[in-house]
Amino acid sequence: MDKMRMESVDMTAQNIEKIGALFPNCITETVDENGAPKKAINFELLKQMLSGDVLEGDESYEFTWVGKKAAIVEANKPIRKTLRPCPEESVDWDKTRNLYIEGNNLDVLKLLQESYLNSIKMIYIDPPYNTGSDFVYPDSFMMELSEYNDGIGYFDEDGNVNFERENNDTNARFHSDWCTMIYSRLLLARNLLRDDGVIFISIDDGELYGLKQMCDDVFGAANYVGTVTRISKTTSFRGNYFAPSKDYILTYAKSISSLPQFQDEVNNDSQFNKIETDGPRKGEYYRDDIAFYLSTLQTRPNQRYYIECPDGELVVPPGETMPPNGVDGDKAVPVDGDGVWRWERDQYLQKKHLLSFKKTKTSPLLNQNGEKASWNIYTKSYLLDKKEKGNIPRDIFEGYLNRNGTEELKKIGIPFSFPKPSKLVKYLMKISGVTNGDIVLDFFSGSASCAQAAMELNNENGISCQFIMVQLPENTYVVKDEKKVGKKGFEDSFRGGFETICEIGKERIRRVGNNIKDDNPLLSVECDLGFRVLKLDDSNMTDVYYNPAEYSQDLLSMLESNVKADRNDLDLLFGCLLEWGLPLSLPYNSEQIDGCTIHNYNDGDLIACFDENVPDSVIKEIAKRQPLRAVFRDNSFADSPSKINVGEVFKLLAPDTRVKVI
């Protein structure tokens, strides 16, 4: 019977396995800190495997800073933490699909890696701008120059980077600190996006350039969707040369070839002016887009190949490298500047029915002889709404001012300065096609504008998208002269009785939900206006669980349990969900069987019993239900023969059930 890890997934080990599947000759062995063998990568050999030329020296085109390597290590490093359920602070705990998670978002993103891998349709974040205010995100990035770091208070007493210190532009690492903080989070966030997912990041011009390069690195330059300018103020008296009145929204796709066309509000002056007259999409509006674009350093090799036209002519985008002749032929590795198709070859074979061929004397395409082709090829981009015409949204957003965000919170009695307007986030949800069953994530949740946007969109459109909000429980106060006083920027919130930003976010969701119910008592019945509160905490397990060899037999006999005394069944259940990669928002129920409490998560996805000395009758009853997974505590069984018997029972009654213990 396997033992559960009870820690987040080791991303480094997973990446080594993926590389080993592609390049087994690049896998070698080394030893860990305990002298045990472990897999490692021969990076010199891997570099040579990925290059047709001999690579010498350290020069390459990349965006880097002090701390980038440490940020990558930190993103991949497993943690021994968990998310503890908090039903008493939640709304509609038993039936809601929404989540509000309190804790450092880096740790939370690590814990969500398996439960929400490739699951998020849209991410919106409004990270702290690098303006000299504090970061408040304590990460364990270890850097050099220890004496210098000690002198400026770079690390806190636990050895973590102290982002609560002021980060003004006289700090030698003014930009590096911010880049290090955001980079590791973007690496983890990308894993959560679906292939047709999109991320929107609000930023000012102070870090726009650096953030753009970081996103090119994380998401790939080919997946850059665009940069939106948002008018944030109509009057401003700050600044020495220009009065700042705008910020930006960087937009990236997980895979731009899978990202649906953005659609603006319906209007009569639409670029989508063609209507399908036949086939399964008859009556839908569409427009033609050029089927290729020029390659970049991030282009995939299998985006350059021949496509057969109606008269048999084979065509390829303009460029120097030519693929082998053949219908839908083999790929040719493009060089920088070569044209490539929008789709990879496998996607083209699935979507070729969406191509539109047009005869023209001015085609930019080339035929198999390297001559100008007589055809041009377009891809059909359909509207998200199948019946109404709309336009591509403009990249300048007006009508979403900072003061609008302040005003909407003021209306519900919550004092908070300049949050992003929920209407802005709702608009992003609309144009990106968020619909029924989709999940939106904001891991810099702040006042929870994104949650309000999701609830209002659901209520207006009769859909059910889900939200996941993640926010550090940052204090709105500081202790001064042994007295709590309002923290700079949060004075009004503190005076309003909110001690942390999380308290503001949760109360906002509650009040917005109540307002929707009051305004639409009938329409809101089916709308999910609740949320489950989960709080980041240390592992449910004691140290002996992870390192039993460090404890003598005499000491082990004195330890009553490997579970911490303050943890209950619900804590253990959600800890198991994280490890087994189950969503945290599904329904569950608990029942009593022969004096034991049985937890059934999502009708058999997982059945758990954490009682001690579980009788055979309970084991057999759980096995008869044939769950996909079953979990018990190690001390649920009197001795080793009893544990072996459990395995035999499941082999007989539920051979496909995976059984583990904690």
Side-chain angles (χ1 to χ4, degrees):
M1 195 179 302
D2 294 334
K3 183 179 178 182
M4 301 195 80
R5 296 188 319 269
M6 303 309 289
E7 63 183 12
S8 68
V9 63
D10 188 337
M11 299 295 292
T12 300
Q14 281 197 352
N15 291 335
I16 289 175
E17 291 298 326
K18 293 175 183 177
I19 292 174
L22 295 173
F23 306 103
N25 59 324
C26 295
I27 301 298
T28 183
E29 278 193 353
T30 184
V31 293
D32 61 19
E33 62 274 12
N34 299 318
K38 68 175 184 178
K39 289 183 179 180
I41 302 293
N42 183 333
F43 286 103
E44 293 302 317
L45 181 56
L46 179 61
K47 285 193 293 184
Q48 195 58 66
M49 290 291 293
L50 295 174
S51 176
D53 301 313
V54 176
L55 298 178
E56 297 180 358
D58 297 327
E59 293 185 352
S60 61
Y61 178 77
E62 64 175 335
F63 176 63
T64 190
W65 63 92
V66 176
K68 181 177 182 180
K69 292 180 180 178
I72 296 172
V73 170
E74 182 68 18
N76 291 330
K77 187 167 60 178
I79 57 172
R80 290 174 180 170
K81 295 191 177 183
T82 191
L83 297 178
R84 299 182 64 186
C86 192
E88 63 275 13
E89 296 184 25
S90 307
V91 175
D92 295 333
W93 170 272
D94 289 334
K95 63 180 182 179
T96 184
R97 301 294 296 273
N98 301 316
L99 300 177
Y100 189 97
I101 304 176
E102 296 186 28
N104 186 328
N105 53 16
L106 181 65
D107 290 339
V108 173
L109 288 170
K110 289 182 180 183
L111 293 175
L112 299 182
Q113 288 297 296
E114 293 186 275
S115 294
Y116 293 93
L117 181 69
N118 299 324
S119 298
I120 307 298
K121 168 59 182 175
M122 173 185 144
I123 297 175
Y124 171 78
I125 57 171
D126 180 21
Y129 296 171
N130 196 13
T131 57
S133 58
D134 52 11
F135 282 93
V136 305
Y137 289 91
D139 299 338
S140 57
F141 304 119
M142 295 302 174
M143 292 181 166
E144 67 284 357
L145 303 179
S146 58
E147 291 185 3
Y148 171 76
N149 291 333
D150 291 341
I152 64 170
Y154 194 83
F155 296 117
D156 63 21
E157 59 186 14
D158 296 321
N160 298 323
V161 170
N162 180 20
F163 284 137
E164 291 192 4
R165 76 194 190 291
E166 186 176 358
N167 185 50
N168 56 51
D169 55 11
T170 61
N171 177 12
R173 293 178 175 169
F174 177 67
H175 292 286
S176 293
D177 284 349
W178 191 88
C179 291
T180 299
M181 184 273 295
I182 199 72
Y183 186 70
S184 55
R185 289 159 172 82
L186 293 178
L187 288 171
L188 295 168
R190 182 188 179 278
N191 298 334
L192 303 181
L193 279 176
R194 293 184 343 202
D195 284 346
D196 65 344
V198 61
I199 182 170
F200 299 97
I201 309 173
S202 285
I203 195 66
D204 67 354
D205 51 11
E207 293 292 352
L208 175 64
Y209 175 72
L211 182 60
K212 170 69 169 63
Q213 293 186 89
M214 273 192 287
C215 288
D216 282 349
D217 191 3
V218 173
F219 298 99
N223 292 315
Y224 171 62
V225 177
T227 301
V228 174
T229 299
R230 179 185 74 104
I231 306 303
S232 58
K233 304 173 184 176
T234 54
T235 57
S236 177
F237 303 100
R238 296 183 178 181
N240 296 322
Y241 302 100
F242 293 105
S245 59
K246 65 185 184 306
D247 59 17
Y248 306 91
I249 303 174
L250 270 176
T251 308
Y252 280 80
K254 174 73 170 286
S255 172
I256 201 162
S257 59
S258 302
L259 183 66
Q261 174 68 59
F262 285 1
Q263 178 189 343
D264 203 342
E265 302 289 344
V266 173
N267 60 67
N268 295 321
D269 183 24
S270 177
Q271 299 170 5
F272 294 85
N273 50 17
K274 300 180 181 180
I275 303 177
E276 282 288 6
T277 57
D278 199 5
R281 306 195 74 150
K282 183 178 179 179
E284 293 187 36
Y285 288 96
Y286 74 93
R287 69 174 201 147
D288 285 331
D289 290 326
I290 293 292
F292 73 91
Y293 46 76
L294 295 181
S295 68
T296 70
L297 294 175
Q298 299 288 337
T299 301
R300 296 183 175 92
N302 55 354
Q303 285 178 249
R304 187 165 174 81
Y305 48 85
Y306 283 117
I307 288 180
E308 184 180 12
C309 297
D311 64 355
E313 184 178 27
L314 302 178
V315 297
V316 68
E320 298 296 328
T321 59
M322 302 293 285
N325 287 342
V327 177
D328 298 335
D330 294 332
K331 64 189 180 185
V333 178
V335 299
D336 189 29
D338 277 351
V340 292
W341 300 114
R342 288 179 177 270
W343 296 326
E344 298 175 17
R345 185 173 177 276
D346 290 343
Q347 290 176 314
Y348 154 69
L349 294 175
Q350 297 173 3
K351 299 181 178 181
K352 56 195 303 184
H353 62 284
L354 296 177
L355 295 183
S356 176
F357 296 86
K358 295 185 180 180
K359 275 275 190 179
T360 175
K361 294 181 180 180
T362 59
S363 173
L365 303 177
L366 303 175
N367 61 27
Q368 63 266 44
N369 299 319
E371 301 168 344
K372 185 178 289 291
S374 56
W375 293 88
N376 203 355
I377 303 180
Y378 299 85
T379 62
K380 294 180 180 179
S381 295
Y382 290 89
L383 286 179
L384 301 172
D385 189 312
K386 296 182 178 182
K387 298 180 180 179
E388 305 272 11
K389 292 191 294 182
N391 259 332
I392 296 177
R394 296 174 67 240
D395 62 357
I396 299 178
F397 286 3
E398 299 179 277
Y400 305 102
L401 301 175
N402 286 346
R403 67 169 180 262
N404 298 148
T406 305
E407 290 167 357
E408 65 182 353
L409 275 178
K410 187 176 180 180
K411 286 181 180 178
I412 58 175
I414 296 179
F416 194 80
S417 300
F418 303 117
K420 288 295 183 292
S422 64
K423 290 183 178 179
L424 169 66
V425 188
K426 183 165 62 175
Y427 181 68
L428 296 175
M429 292 179 183
K430 287 181 177 179
I431 65 174
S432 58
V434 171
T435 188
N436 201 45
D438 289 344
I439 305 175
V440 295
L441 166 67
D442 183 351
F443 53 89
F444 286 97
S445 172
S447 67
S449 297
C450 188
Q452 177 172 343
M455 290 193 296
E456 291 181 350
L457 182 68
N458 288 341
N459 188 55
E460 293 168 9
N461 293 0
I463 62 173
S464 181
C465 72
Q466 306 161 39
F467 65 74
I468 301 176
M469 301 291 104
V470 183
Q471 176 59 43
L472 187 76
E474 180 187 353
N475 291 327
T476 60
Y477 64 83
V478 294
V479 177
K480 190 174 183 180
D481 299 329
E482 299 183 355
K483 180 181 179 182
K484 291 181 180 179
V485 297
K487 191 174 183 179
K488 183 179 180 182
F490 298 113
E491 294 93 340
D492 291 340
S493 298
F494 176 68
R495 285 193 288 268
F498 298 99
E499 294 207 344
T500 69
I501 295 180
C502 288
E503 297 305 315
I504 294 171
K506 289 181 291 187
E507 185 60 23
R508 177 183 192 165
I509 301 173
R510 296 186 191 103
R511 295 185 187 184
V512 169
N514 289 333
N515 287 344
I516 291 176
K517 290 179 184 177
D518 293 340
D519 294 340
N520 304 281
L522 296 179
L523 295 177
S524 65
V525 172
E526 300 300 325
C527 188
D528 186 355
L529 302 174
F531 58 99
R532 284 182 176 177
V533 175
L534 303 168
K535 297 186 179 183
L536 182 72
D537 206 336
D538 292 332
S539 171
N540 293 318
M541 316 308 292
T542 59
D543 290 343
V544 69
Y545 183 87
Y546 301 102
N547 304 296
E550 295 181 5
Y551 293 81
S552 66
Q553 191 64 37
D554 292 340
L555 183 57
L556 283 173
S557 63
M558 297 172 60
L559 297 172
E560 294 184 359
S561 172
N562 58 8
V563 176
K564 291 178 179 175
D566 63 338
R567 306 303 161 95
N568 57 35
D569 279 13
L570 204 55
D571 294 325
L572 298 179
L573 176 63
F574 274 75
C576 293
L577 299 181
L578 289 169
E579 178 165 335
W580 242 320
L582 291 171
L584 305 177
S585 57
L586 301 179
Y588 69 93
N589 61 73
S590 302
E591 59 181 301
Q592 292 290 317
I593 300 178
D594 290 351
C596 294
T597 303
I598 308 302
H599 307 279
N600 189 338
Y601 194 78
N602 199 36
D603 196 23
D605 275 356
L606 182 149
I607 294 183
C609 179
F610 302 114
D611 289 358
E612 297 182 5
N613 301 319
V614 179
D616 287 345
S617 59
V618 174
I619 301 295
K620 291 178 180 178
E621 177 60 30
I622 294 174
K624 286 178 183 178
R625 300 185 185 186
Q626 297 185 328
L628 295 177
R629 308 164 184 85
V631 181
F632 303 92
R633 284 178 64 170
D634 207 12
N635 61 356
S636 293
F637 318 109
D639 48 35
S640 295
S642 299
K643 187 184 299 185
I644 294 173
N645 182 58
V646 171
E648 295 302 317
V649 170
F650 275 90
K651 284 181 182 179
L652 178 65
L653 300 177
D656 295 327
T657 298
R658 297 173 60 193
V659 185
K660 289 189 177 183
V661 296
I662 61 172

